[in-house]
Amino acid sequence: MSDLHQRLEGRKPKFAIILGSSLGDVAEAVTDPLVIPYAELSGFPLPKISGHAGKLYVGKLGGKEVAVLAGRAHPYESGNAAAMRPAIEQLHNADVTTLVLTNAAGSLKTSIGPGSLMMLTDHINYAGMNPLIGTHSDADFVSLTDAYDPGLRKQLLAAAKKEKIPLKQGVYCWFSGPSFETPAEIRMMQIVGGSAVGMSTVPETIIARRLGLKVCAISTVTNLAAGIKGASPSHEETKREGAKAAGKMRRLLTRFFKDMKA
Ligand code: HPA
C-alpha cells in the first residue's frame, strides 16, 4: 500500500478522470499507461459493483498527462457519502488540479434521449447526505456556485463541436440508490428543474471543490428515468447503454485534452 505521489515514476498528471459505469474504453485510450490496481494505493476504494474496474491508469490522453480512475465507490455501497474522499485527497496530494467526473444517468427529459452525453451545469443533492459532514473545519463551508467550472464547460462545448458530438447540458440530481427512483420521484425532479438523475458524482464534486480542484462532469444517458414513457431502469441496461456511449466519451475527452492550453 503506498501513496499515489510515490508511485508516479516521474509522471505529473494535472488532470484526473473518474469513469462511470462501463466507460472503461476511455481508460484504454490512455497511451503508455502506468496501471496501478487500487488495492496497492492507500485511500483508493475497492469497487464491489460490476461494470466498475478498480484500476488507476496514468498516461497521456490527447497529449496531456492524466490519471484515469476506472472504478469508483458509491455511497450506496456503505452509507458513507465521503467514500471517495481519500482517493480524491490522494489525487490532490499528487498535484492534480482538475477533476473530470463521468457517470451513467437516467434522463428526465425526452429531449435528452438514451445515448446522449450531457454536461452538468449544476446539481441538486437529493440524497440527503453530504461528504463534508463531521469534518469540523471552517473550510467545509464550500461555495458550490459554479461548482462545474465555467471555463472547463466552455472548453467541453468547443471540443464537442469540433468532434461533431451533440453535447446536451443540464442539472444532475443525486439520489442515493441503489434502488432506482419511483415515477413519482421522477415527476418531482422534473418539476424542480432536474435534467438527469444518478447515484454518484455529486459527493465527488463537493469533495473536490473543498480541496480547491476545478471540476467538470459529463453524464452518459443510459435510459429514460422511471415512468417516463413507461421506463423501468435496470443495472443491466445501464451497463449495456453505458458501454455503447463509451466511444463518444473517449473522443470528446481526447479532444478536450488535446485542445487544453495548460
Ligand atoms: N436512475 C439513477 N441512476 C441511474 C439511472 C437512473 O435512471 N440510469 C443510470 N444510472
Side-chain angles (χ1 to χ4, degrees):
M1 211 50 119
S2 40
D3 285 330
L4 174 61
H5 69 89
Q6 298 167 326
R7 293 291 303 272
L8 288 175
E9 301 178 11
R11 297 169 195 232
K12 296 187 176 67
K14 291 276 170 245
F15 309 100
I17 307 170
I18 300 183
L19 296 181
S21 287
S22 307
L23 289 175
D25 248 33
V26 178
E28 300 305 319
V30 173
T31 53
D32 185 26
L34 172 68
V35 184
I36 315 172
Y38 285 2
E40 295 176 14
L41 290 170
S42 34
F44 278 68
L46 289 180
K48 300 174 186 73
I49 304 297
S50 58
H52 299 274
K55 281 186 200 154
L56 181 73
Y57 296 73
V58 185
K60 289 200 171 169
L61 190 63
K64 304 291 187 304
E65 215 137 30
V66 297
V68 179
L69 285 75
R72 57 156 52 97
H74 299 80
Y76 61 67
E77 294 168 43
S78 60
N80 177 15
M84 285 300 287
R85 184 172 183 146
I88 297 172
E89 282 174 347
Q90 287 275 325
L91 295 171
H92 176 61
N93 291 341
D95 293 331
V96 165
T97 59
T98 300
L99 184 61
V100 180
L101 300 168
T102 66
N103 60 52
S107 174
L108 299 169
K109 298 180 170 199
T110 50
S111 58
I112 307 179
S116 307
L117 296 185
M118 187 193 91
M119 178 179 80
L120 277 63
T121 55
D122 206 342
H123 72 230
I124 295 173
N125 179 352
Y126 201 75
M129 297 188 265
N130 191 297
L132 304 182
I133 286 174
T135 50
H136 312 297
S137 159
D138 280 2
D140 289 335
F141 297 99
V142 181
S143 169
L144 294 179
T145 308
D146 287 335
Y148 302 93
D149 187 79
L152 294 176
R153 275 154 53 190
K154 258 194 205 157
Q155 290 172 48
L156 275 173
L157 289 171
K161 197 167 172 196
K162 245 188 188 169
E163 289 296 318
K164 298 191 169 52
I165 297 171
L167 183 60
K168 308 280 187 182
Q169 304 186 61
V171 175
Y172 176 94
C173 308
W174 178 33
F175 273 68
S176 75
S179 59
F180 286 100
E181 303 73 32
T182 65
E185 287 165 345
I186 293 304
R187 287 195 297 276
M188 172 184 68
M189 296 322 285
Q190 289 173 319
I191 291 165
V192 301
S195 314
V197 62
M199 304 177 192
S200 67
T201 302
V202 167
E204 295 157 17
T205 297
I206 296 171
I207 292 161
R209 294 301 300 137
R210 163 72 177 79
L211 295 169
L213 301 182
K214 282 199 216 176
V215 174
C216 61
I218 309 157
S219 296
T220 57
V221 172
T222 55
N223 57 282
L224 291 175
I228 301 178
K229 291 190 172 169
S232 179
S234 70
H235 189 52
E236 283 62 43
E237 179 183 50
T238 300
K239 285 193 289 186
R240 189 181 64 240
E241 298 300 319
K244 276 195 211 164
K248 260 200 287 190
M249 183 69 88
R250 166 182 172 154
R251 268 201 299 132
L252 174 63
L253 291 179
T254 304
R255 171 58 62 188
F256 172 69
F257 286 113
K258 202 172 210 163
D259 291 352
M260 178 91 69
K261 295 283 178 286

